[in-house]
């Protein structure tokens, strides 16, 4: 039947306006986040900063040596995320000078510096976080989603299962029994996790439907955005959602005047990478657990996935389909 | 349409069955949306722009959006238990000529996958795919799905399509004042993926007004087949909508022009099934035309409507003249 | 057009009259949707004699839809699903007759903005296909009533949208008149809800009309009436009229009256012309339904009895 095409001549007219063409990115094999500090830690003494970078150094070297590159010479880039979303200290030049100097002295080269605020909202006003928020899909209840139920409207929380007790108002005369929490993908036992994604500092009476300006994103949510950015998975019209700007030699006094991502090492390997490693103080363990939960519910644009798969395939770089499998962590011991 | 709709099989597994539904209706506006407004309206996700054509009929296709699924698949009576599937459905909105809106949803079914529900990340990485955790016969799934969802435990992609359409009711470009009463058209389709096998298809209309399309085809032709179903759904809806308007114009105590004028201005120019029909589907369409004669029926219905409008116009003129004489 | 049916007390004949109006409207050539918003006890399925929907549906009815548990509500073509043979026939020139059933085991819920949005979307969707949508609300104050008022308020419904009519059903007795007036005009009543939803008083009251149901005449006393009975009846009727007027439910608000129909005392059902032919039902009943149906879709007749 299909062979019986009445008009087998090749077509003359062609009109195809693909809304979005996904750009192939220059990619490293591994993006390493070299430590993290809260803004007040950056403000205070130099010693704790120096100590953390010194502890990062051997693990960074190990990462460089073990990067999965499919036989190519490994390309590894490093990055540092500045916490300017929850705390706002107005002395960027001084802090950046100190940070770059101390890391250099510890033998850790920072290639790229990014602002955490940019993971929520870009310098040009574009809502970066929305790219993740609109692509999160809540897990269906077991045998509870047949395509005839509208997606649960995002409450600002993301869980991996069912809470221990129905928290909603019970319907009149509906029976009420206590049930334990339950992780949908559990293996014998549950680790139930419910992560706050944002709160609405809303104006009184304001609703949380689309009034994104009112949202204050949580630390795990922005950290998830940051991971997806590094992995090249967040795009706006096929381009990376956050772009890299070369350092122009001068830091602006106000953080919100600084570019979203600055390339501070001119000879650095590409910022975006197939995989990521985050070397962080141990206190970030719950945050990264939450990041994983968020990323597990993130549905990437299939065209972006395809573009990355193609690039990896061409160079024989193994790339796991599950995004969380592209993430790795090293947690530095606490104390001094 | 432009966006690739090919089967995704990251694990190297191929779906044996693909199930889909297309719902069709009038966009809730008094006039068609201009192309620019349509492109804004169908940008259902930030960061991705809809695909579009200008010729020969304007068409805009939204990016794919996904729905979580954990439910049963229907099987025919006597075929054993209904397999449970987990994963995501893929859906998109298609707007043709700025006025006819479709919600198109589908899932690829992987059989013989895992025997229990896995962590969600597994399914999130295989968008548009559901995995059956019980054994099932592909032929049973095709037949079962085409029965239509009888209750809310089995997969109901028609409702997913309707939901996608309803997203377009909320955009600011919509004035919510269509001048024509129309019913939503429904089409279910099911593919038994058979590589190398002789393709085989059947289009069926039952008394519930729902079209059913069943096909056995190699995986490479899936995207074209989805487009075929969307085109068939659209034209079947056009025909139903025009017939509905004609029927309503004959009702008691009604001004026939009130039905016929908007029907002609909304629908009259829309018939062009081959406009975006993929090359590979022309043969199938031709066979359907030979038997169902949809284009003939359309033309004769339009003629009937136009004749009635001219008669009414003549009558109105004669009455006006008569009044002047008197 | 959207028509809401409300009543203060149960047993007013609100649902059965609404079903009969739906049927009559379809005979008049209108495509009619009947939305069963009596979430606590959906009854329309029984009145239309649809065995599978006697107490609502289990597969995502209106209650599920409003609660966000179904993307679109289940519907049933009344003529193809009813058990009643004569109702199956669709006379030439008549319109569609479709039931959107409630859910088995639905119940009251606390109203949120999300529910109101859903209701507004539901009305929009149904109006795209049907000429007339009859929304049958449960007796008394309910979330469904509040939700409906919010959904049709000027805040949520475009100015140029199709007409809305609000019917208040009550029986023609002292208690019922007082109760109906209370529901409409007293605190936490329909009017105050409407004002809270954003209506202006005058603007909302323009939509409201009353229907006096099961109004008896002297024959209710039996075949022969005494002069005393006639006099008493006439006096009682006058007292009721005065009461209704003083309670804001006077003639200026009246859309129509339905007579006491013995058939409906035994069984809530659609009264058809064949029932009159078979002398089971009173002709006055079908006449009353038809008159009301005509009035509902005739803007001039409707506005005609505006004060």
């Amino acid at each position: 039947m299909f062979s019986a095409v009445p008009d087998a001549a090749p077509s003359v007219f062609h009109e195809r306006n693909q809304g979005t063409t996904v750009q192939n990115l220059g990619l490293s094999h591994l993006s390493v986040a070299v430590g993290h500090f809260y803004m007040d830690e950056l403000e205070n003494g130099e010693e704790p900063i120096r100590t953390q970078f010194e502890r990062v150094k051997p693990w960074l070297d190990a990462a460089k040596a073990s990067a999965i590159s499919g036989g190519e010479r490994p390309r590894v880039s490093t990055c540092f995320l500045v916490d300017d979303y929850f705390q706002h200290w107005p002395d960027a030049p001084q802090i950046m000078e100190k940070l770059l100097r101390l890391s250099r002295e510890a033998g850790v080269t920072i290639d790229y510096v990014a602002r955490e605020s940019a993971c929520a909202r870009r310098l040009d006003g574009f809502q970066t976080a929305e790219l993740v928020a609109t692509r999160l899909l809540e897990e269906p209840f077991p045998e509870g989603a047949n395509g005839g139920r509208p997606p649960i409207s995002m409450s600002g929380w993301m869980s991996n299962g069912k809470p221990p007790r129905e928290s909603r108002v019970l319907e009149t005369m509906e029976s009420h029994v206590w049930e334990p929490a339950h992780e949908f993908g559990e293996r014998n036992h549950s680790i139930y996790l419910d992560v706050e994604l944002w709160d609405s500092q809303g104006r009184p009476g304001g609703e949380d439907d689309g009034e994104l300006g009112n949202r204050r994103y949580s630390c795990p949510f922005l950290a998830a955005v940051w991971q997806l950015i590094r992995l090249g998975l967040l795009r706006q019209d096929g381009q990376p959602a956050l772009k890299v700007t070369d350092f122009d030699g001068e830091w602006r006094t106000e953080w919100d005047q600084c570019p979203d991502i600055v390339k501070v090492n001119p000879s650095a390997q590409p910022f975006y990478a197939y995989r990521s490693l985050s070397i962080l103080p141990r206190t970030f363990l719950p945050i990264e657990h939450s990041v994983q939960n968020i990323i597990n519910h993130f549905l990437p644009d299939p065209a972006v996935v395809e573009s990355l798969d193609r690039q990896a395939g061409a160079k024989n770089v193994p790339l796991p389909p599950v995004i969380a499998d592209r993430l790795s962590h090293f947690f530095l011991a606490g104390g001094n | 349409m432009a966006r690739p709709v090919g089967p995704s099989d990251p694990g190297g597994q191929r779906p044996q069955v693909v199930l889909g539904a297309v719902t069709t209706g009038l966009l809730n506006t008094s006039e068609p949306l201009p192309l620019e407004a349509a492109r804004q309206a169908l940008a259902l996700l930030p960061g991705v722009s809809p695909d579009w054509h200008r010729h020969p009929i304007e068409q805009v296709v939204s990016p794919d959006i996904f729905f979580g699924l954990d439910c049963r698949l229907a099987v025919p009576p006597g075929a054993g238990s209904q397999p449970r599937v987990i994963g995501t459905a893929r859906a998109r909105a298609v707007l043709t000529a700025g006025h006819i809106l479709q919600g198109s949803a589908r899932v690829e079914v992987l059989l013989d996958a895992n025997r229990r529900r896995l962590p969600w990340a597994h399914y999130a990485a295989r968008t548009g795919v559901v995995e059956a955790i019980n054994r099932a016969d592909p032929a049973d799934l095709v037949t079962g799905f085409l029965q239509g969802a009888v209750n809310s435990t089995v997969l109901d992609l028609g409702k997913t399509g309707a939901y996608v359409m309803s997203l377009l009711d909320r955009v600011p470009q919509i004035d919510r004042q269509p001048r024509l009463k129309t019913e939503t058209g429904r089409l279910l389709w099911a593919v038994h993926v058979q590589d190398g096998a002789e393709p085989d298809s059947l289009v069926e209309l039952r008394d519930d007004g729902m079209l059913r399309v069943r096909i056995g085809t190699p995986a490479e032709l899936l995207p074209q087949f989805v487009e075929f179903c969307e085109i068939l759904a659209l034209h079947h809806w056009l025909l139903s909508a025009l017939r509905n308007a004609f029927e309503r114009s004959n009702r008691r105590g009604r001004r026939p022009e009130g039905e016929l004028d908007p029907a002609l201005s909304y629908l009259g120019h829309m018939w062009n099934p081959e406009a975006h029909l993929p090359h590979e589907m022309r043969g199938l369409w031709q066979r359907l035309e030979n038997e169902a004669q949809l284009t003939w029926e359309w033309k004769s219905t339009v003629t009937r409507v136009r004749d009635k409008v001219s008669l009414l116009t003549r009558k109105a003129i004669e009455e006006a003249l008569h009044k002047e004489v008197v | 057009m959207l028509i809401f049916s409300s009543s203060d007390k149960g047993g007013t004949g609100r649902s059965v009259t609404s079903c009969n109006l739906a049927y009559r409207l379809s005979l008049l050539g209108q495509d009619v949707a009947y939305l069963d918003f009596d979430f606590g006890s959906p009854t329309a399925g029984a009145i239309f004699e649809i065995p599978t929907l006697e107490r609502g549906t289990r597969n995502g009815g209106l209650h599920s839809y409003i609660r966000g548990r179904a993307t679109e509500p289940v519907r049933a073509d009344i003529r193809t699903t009813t058990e009643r043979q004569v109702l199956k026939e669709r006379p030439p020139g008549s319109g569609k007759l479709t039931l959107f059933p409630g859910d088995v085991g639905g119940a009251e819920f606390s109203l949120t903005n999300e529910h109101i949005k859903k209701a507004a979307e539901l009305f929009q969707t149904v109006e795209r296909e049907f000429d007339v949508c009859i929304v049958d609300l449960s007796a008394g104050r309910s979330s469904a009533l509040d939700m409906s008022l919010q959904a049709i308020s000027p805040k949520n419904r475009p100015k140029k949208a199709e007409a809305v009519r609000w019917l208040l059903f009550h029986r023609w007795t002292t208690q019922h008149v007082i109760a109906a007036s209370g529901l409409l005009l007293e605190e936490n009543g329909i009017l105050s809800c409407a004002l809270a939803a954003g209506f202006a008083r005058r603007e909302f009251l323009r939509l409201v009309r009353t229907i006096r149901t099961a109004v008896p005449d002297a024959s209710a006393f039996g075949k022969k009436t005494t002069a005393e009975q006639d006099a008493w009846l006439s006096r009682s009727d006058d007292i009721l009229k005065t009461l209704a007027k003083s309670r804001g439910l006077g003639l200026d608000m009246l859309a129509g009256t339905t007579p006491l129909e013995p058939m409906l005392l035994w069984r809530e059902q659609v009264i058809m012309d064949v029932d009159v032919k078979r002398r089971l039902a009173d002709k006055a009943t079908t006449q009353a339904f038809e008159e009301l149906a005509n009035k509902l879709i005739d803007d001039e007749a409707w506005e005609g009895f505006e004060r």
Side-chain angles (χ1 to χ4, degrees):
Chain A
M1 174 184 66
F2 293 106
S3 49
V5 174
D7 171 22
S11 50
V12 187
F13 178 67
H14 190 72
E15 188 205 12
R16 196 132 273 211
N17 299 294
Q18 207 168 315
T20 294
T21 312
V22 174
Q23 185 202 345
N24 280 351
L25 297 178
L27 288 164
S28 288
H29 296 109
L30 185 67
S31 155
V32 186
V34 286
H36 192 73
F37 299 96
Y38 290 113
M39 193 61 98
D40 50 354
E41 294 170 326
L42 287 176
E43 273 287 302
N44 296 329
E46 298 192 349
E47 219 28 57
I49 301 176
R50 192 193 313 273
T51 310
Q52 191 183 108
F53 279 126
E54 281 168 356
R55 290 183 179 177
V56 164
K57 170 82 167 78
W59 301 108
L60 173 61
D61 292 342
K64 282 180 177 165
S66 63
I68 298 168
S69 66
E72 284 189 290
R73 208 170 72 83
R75 297 185 299 275
V76 176
S77 65
T78 62
C79 56
F80 188 91
L81 186 68
V82 178
D83 166 33
D84 69 330
Y85 186 70
F86 298 98
Q87 291 168 292
H88 225 81
W89 303 70
D91 39 12
Q94 200 196 333
I95 286 175
M96 286 316 303
E97 181 279 322
K98 184 157 78 177
L99 186 75
L100 292 174
R101 174 170 49 80
L102 293 174
S103 62
R104 199 168 47 238
E105 286 170 8
V108 173
T109 308
I110 294 177
D111 295 333
Y112 301 90
V113 175
R115 293 182 307 115
E116 191 165 14
S117 297
C119 294
R121 192 167 173 274
R122 252 173 14 199
L123 202 53
D124 64 4
F126 179 80
Q127 302 276 352
T128 322
E130 211 190 324
L131 294 176
V132 176
T134 51
R135 286 190 171 275
L136 290 180
L137 185 62
E138 292 207 29
E139 266 176 71
F141 265 61
E143 303 212 38
N146 74 330
R149 259 181 184 237
I152 307 154
S153 62
M154 292 289 277
S155 54
W157 289 75
M158 176 58 77
S159 78
N160 63 352
K162 188 170 81 59
R165 180 199 277 270
E166 294 286 19
S167 55
R168 64 193 165 80
V169 178
L170 286 163
E171 210 157 311
T172 317
M173 294 174 71
E174 216 174 61
S175 63
H176 181 159
V177 273
W178 187 88
E179 282 173 43
H182 170 56
E183 178 191 356
F184 291 148
E186 72 188 348
R187 193 151 205 163
N188 302 325
H189 292 93
S190 283
I191 300 172
Y192 173 71
L193 181 64
D194 203 355
V195 178
E196 184 173 15
L197 306 176
W198 57 77
D199 59 23
S200 299
Q201 300 170 307
R203 302 181 288 268
E207 277 177 74
D208 183 32
D209 53 353
E211 295 185 25
L212 300 164
N214 278 343
R215 280 185 187 170
R216 190 179 58 173
Y217 291 98
S218 70
C219 176
F221 185 85
L222 293 180
V225 175
W226 173 233
Q227 290 280 10
L228 294 167
I229 297 262
R230 287 160 69 195
L231 295 172
L233 282 162
L234 271 204
R235 309 289 182 102
Q236 187 209 3
D237 285 327
Q239 310 276 326
L242 291 187
K243 287 204 179 113
V244 175
T245 309
D246 287 331
F247 184 51
D248 63 2
E250 192 189 348
W251 294 99
R252 310 291 177 279
T253 318
E254 295 290 333
W255 286 108
D256 56 15
Q257 298 298 310
C258 294
D260 302 321
I261 304 174
V262 190
K263 184 177 183 177
V264 288
N265 173 13
S267 57
Q269 295 291 344
F271 169 76
Y272 310 98
Y274 292 115
R275 296 171 189 253
S276 74
L277 165 65
S278 304
I279 305 175
L280 300 167
R282 190 195 50 81
T283 47
F284 283 82
L285 181 58
I287 290 175
E288 290 301 313
H289 182 199
S290 308
V291 165
Q292 177 179 291
N293 188 45
I294 295 168
I295 284 181
N296 282 348
H297 295 86
F298 173 79
L299 292 161
D301 181 352
V304 173
V305 171
E306 200 190 300
S307 157
L308 291 172
D309 282 348
R310 227 187 359 248
Q311 282 184 267
K315 300 284 186 193
N316 285 321
V317 180
L319 189 61
V322 171
I323 298 172
D325 289 342
R326 302 177 191 181
L327 270 52
S328 55
H329 296 90
F330 186 85
F331 293 103
L332 301 165
N336 281 310
Chain B
M1 273 311 303
R3 194 165 293 278
V5 289
S8 54
D9 52 338
Q13 278 174 296
R14 297 192 142 227
Q16 288 102 317
V17 176
V18 188
L19 307 172
V22 186
T23 50
T24 308
L26 196 66
L27 185 71
N28 207 1
T29 50
S30 52
E31 294 302 327
L33 278 195
L35 187 59
E36 271 315 306
R39 286 173 58 193
Q40 286 166 14
L42 270 84
L44 297 180
L45 283 177
V48 194
S49 309
D51 295 344
W52 53 281
H53 289 274
R54 197 184 289 278
H55 302 292
I57 293 179
E58 285 178 5
Q59 194 168 52
V60 184
V61 181
S62 79
D64 284 345
I65 51 177
F66 299 95
F67 297 84
L69 293 178
D70 184 337
C71 61
R72 301 272 167 178
L73 291 184
V75 293
S81 63
Q82 301 173 328
R84 177 180 164 198
V85 291
I86 302 141
T88 56
R90 170 194 305 259
R92 62 184 183 180
V94 181
L95 184 66
T96 306
H99 218 168
I100 301 185
L101 178 64
Q102 294 182 293
S104 180
R106 66 181 193 280
V107 287
E108 293 159 26
V109 184
L110 283 185
L111 297 175
D112 305 317
N114 302 283
R115 290 269 167 258
R116 61 177 192 95
R117 176 163 161 165
L118 299 180
W120 187 243
H122 173 81
Y123 306 104
R126 289 158 181 78
T127 45
V129 175
V130 291
E131 297 186 358
I133 61 175
N134 322 87
R135 288 186 194 289
D137 176 7
D140 286 344
L141 299 185
V142 166
T143 309
F145 180 73
L146 291 181
Q147 287 172 345
V150 287
N151 60 45
S152 48
T153 59
V154 297
L155 179 67
D156 191 349
L157 288 175
K159 291 227 164 84
T160 315
Y163 178 75
V164 173
M165 286 175 73
S166 76
L167 292 177
L168 267 290
D169 274 343
R170 300 175 195 169
V171 299
Q173 291 90 342
I174 299 294
D175 68 12
R176 303 181 191 176
Q177 286 166 36
R179 285 179 283 130
L180 189 67
K181 300 278 179 191
T182 54
E183 206 174 322
T184 301
R186 286 156 204 283
L187 178 147
L188 293 181
W189 56 263
V191 172
H192 187 175
V193 181
Q194 290 165 314
D195 286 334
E198 193 62 19
D200 177 31
S201 69
L202 179 69
V203 179
E204 196 186 352
L205 183 64
R206 291 190 203 160
D207 59 3
D208 57 4
M210 187 146 66
L211 270 177
R212 279 125 167 131
V213 188
R214 164 203 302 265
I215 197 168
T217 182
E220 305 80 72
L221 286 176
L222 267 176
Q224 288 86 341
F225 179 68
V226 174
E227 288 181 43
F228 170 86
C229 289
E230 288 169 357
I231 290 165
L232 174 59
L234 186 134
H235 287 83
H236 184 252
W237 179 85
L238 277 177
L239 200 46
S240 310
L242 190 62
R243 292 170 62 118
N244 188 46
F246 188 77
E247 190 264 321
R248 283 170 55 89
S249 75
N250 294 325
R251 298 266 182 87
R252 286 176 62 177
R254 208 177 272 275
R255 281 178 55 248
E257 312 88 280
E259 304 295 322
L260 299 178
D261 290 357
L264 276 183
S265 75
Y266 283 8
L267 314 172
H269 58 292
M270 299 280 286
W271 191 269
N272 189 354
E274 307 215 356
H276 302 296
L277 190 69
H279 223 66
E280 299 85 344
M281 292 291 135
R282 280 168 198 266
L284 179 56
W285 183 266
Q286 209 52 61
R287 277 181 48 190
L288 185 64
E289 273 288 3
N290 289 345
E291 291 173 32
Q293 305 218 8
L294 296 173
T295 300
W296 179 86
E297 189 180 351
W298 171 259
K299 280 183 186 154
S300 72
T301 312
V302 170
T303 309
R304 256 181 116 188
V305 171
R306 292 221 167 103
D307 285 352
K308 185 160 181 186
V309 170
S310 351
L311 285 173
L312 289 167
T313 315
R314 202 177 74 194
K315 214 168 117 196
I317 293 172
E318 279 171 5
E319 270 168 18
L321 287 174
H322 182 71
K323 256 185 215 161
E324 269 174 37
V325 173
V326 172
Chain C
M1 175 187 303
L2 279 175
I3 301 173
F4 292 89
S5 297
S6 60
S7 67
D8 181 65
K9 287 175 174 286
T12 52
R14 180 200 69 249
S15 295
V16 75
T17 310
S18 301
C19 288
N20 273 284
L21 286 177
Y23 169 69
R24 290 285 149 187
L25 284 162
S26 85
L27 292 187
L28 293 174
Q30 305 290 311
D31 286 336
V32 183
Y34 189 97
L35 278 55
D36 197 340
F37 265 35
D38 190 347
F39 292 144
S41 72
T43 48
I47 299 174
F48 287 118
E49 300 177 51
I50 304 172
T52 50
L53 299 175
E54 245 161 27
R55 310 217 356 92
T57 176
R58 292 186 186 280
N59 294 316
L62 289 173
H63 187 253
S64 298
Y65 175 85
I66 296 291
R67 303 288 309 270
R69 296 173 188 173
T71 56
E72 57 174 359
V74 161
R75 52 152 80 190
D77 180 336
I78 291 167
R79 289 197 177 87
T80 57
T81 49
T82 182
E83 249 183 347
R84 196 164 173 209
Q85 278 307 321
V86 274
L87 189 53
K88 284 179 186 287
E89 290 156 25
R90 180 168 169 186
S94 64
K96 288 187 272 196
L97 185 56
T98 302
L99 170 64
F100 290 79
D103 291 67
V104 174
E108 257 313 271
F109 51 91
S110 50
L111 189 62
T112 68
N113 283 338
E114 204 51 44
H115 298 140
I116 296 163
K117 242 197 299 194
K118 285 275 179 213
E121 279 173 18
L122 174 69
F123 297 152
Q124 242 190 74
T125 312
V126 179
E127 284 180 283
R128 288 163 77 168
E129 185 177 340
F130 296 91
D131 298 300
V132 181
C133 313
I134 298 186
V135 183
D136 185 30
L137 301 162
S138 49
R141 296 161 175 85
S142 66
S143 297
L145 187 149
D146 196 356
M147 177 175 73
S148 301
L149 285 168
Q150 301 269 359
I152 59 168
S153 85
K155 271 193 307 198
N156 291 316
R157 194 171 164 83
K159 270 224 154 47
K160 283 199 240 156
E162 292 177 11
V164 173
R165 315 244 194 266
W166 191 283
L167 300 178
L168 178 63
F169 290 78
H170 63 84
R171 287 190 48 202
W172 194 228
T173 72
T174 323
Q175 284 303 312
H176 277 273
V177 170
I178 293 171
S181 159
L183 176 67
L184 180 62
L185 301 169
E186 281 173 11
E187 60 185 300
N188 297 325
I190 295 174
L191 179 62
S192 68
C193 258
L195 297 184
F199 276 105
R201 181 187 172 90
R202 209 183 134 70
E203 170 191 31
F204 179 73
L205 284 177
R206 277 189 58 184
L207 311 177
V208 183
R209 292 291 184 277
T210 58
I211 294 182
R212 298 173 185 171
T213 57
V215 178
D217 59 15
S219 65
F221 282 115
K223 287 236 158 50
K224 268 193 178 167
T225 51
T226 61
E228 287 80 0
Q229 284 173 331
D230 286 341
W232 184 84
L233 190 84
S234 159
R235 208 171 52 241
S236 301
D237 212 49
D238 285 343
I239 292 172
L240 276 173
K241 280 177 185 157
T242 313
L243 176 71
K245 195 173 172 197
S246 72
R247 299 269 171 165
L249 304 180
L251 285 177
D252 52 345
M253 292 283 279
L254 184 67
T257 299
T258 65
L260 184 69
E261 171 55 61
M263 253 185 111
L264 296 180
L265 292 180
W266 275 273
R267 185 165 159 190
E268 288 87 355
Q269 65 169 53
V270 177
I271 305 273
M272 304 180 63
D273 294 341
V274 295
D275 299 319
V276 177
K277 237 182 247 167
R278 289 183 193 145
R279 305 197 178 198
L280 289 170
D282 201 339
K283 185 151 180 57
T285 307
T286 53
Q287 258 171 357
F289 290 152
E290 182 157 358
E291 243 169 66
L292 257 173
N294 266 312
K295 226 177 230 174
L296 279 166
I297 50 169
D298 182 343
D299 283 340
E300 271 172 35
W302 185 263
E303 295 292 330
F305 46 101
E306 198 192 333
R307 61 230 87 153

